[in-house]
């Protein structure tokens, strides 16, 4: 299982709606609107790195109101 945090910037005033929309996507374990340089943070899970990439590009980045994402893959050392 591959896990990652997706840091998301949104259009002004769209953070709550974006977090709610992302939270409904299969593979998203958690999505919350936050304060700071990013507007939302999502925790996602996929079987492979390729599936993770498809989830981010084909599903999450398609949510209306998102302006930028940054994917931080979880590593277990």
């Amino acid at each position: 299982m591959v896990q990652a945090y997706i840091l998301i910037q949104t259009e002004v005033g769209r953070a709550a709606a974006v977090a709610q929309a992302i939270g409904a996507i299969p593979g998203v374990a958690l999505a919350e609107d936050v304060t700071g340089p990013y507007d939302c943070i999502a925790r996602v899970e996929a079987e492979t790195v390729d599936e993770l990439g498809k989830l981010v590009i084909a599903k999450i980045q398609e949510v209306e109101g998102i302006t930028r994402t940054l994917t931080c893959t979880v590593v277990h050392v």
Side-chain angles (χ1 to χ4, degrees):
M1 179 73 59
V2 180
Q3 300 172 326
Y5 288 95
I6 312 298
L7 310 178
I8 303 160
Q9 292 178 334
T10 69
E11 296 170 355
V12 174
R14 298 294 310 260
V18 167
Q20 184 176 11
I22 290 172
I25 297 171
V28 176
L30 178 69
E32 297 184 297
D33 48 322
V34 297
T35 61
Y38 292 92
D39 303 304
C40 299
I41 296 178
R43 170 107 180 194
V44 299
E45 300 174 342
E47 289 296 320
T48 67
V49 172
D50 287 342
E51 287 182 19
L52 177 70
K54 290 175 186 176
L55 173 63
V56 173
I57 293 169
K59 303 287 185 184
I60 294 175
Q61 289 182 348
E62 293 298 315
V63 171
E64 189 174 334
I66 292 178
T67 58
R68 181 182 171 140
T69 65
L70 175 66
T71 302
C72 303
T73 305
V74 174
V75 295
H76 300 281
V77 182

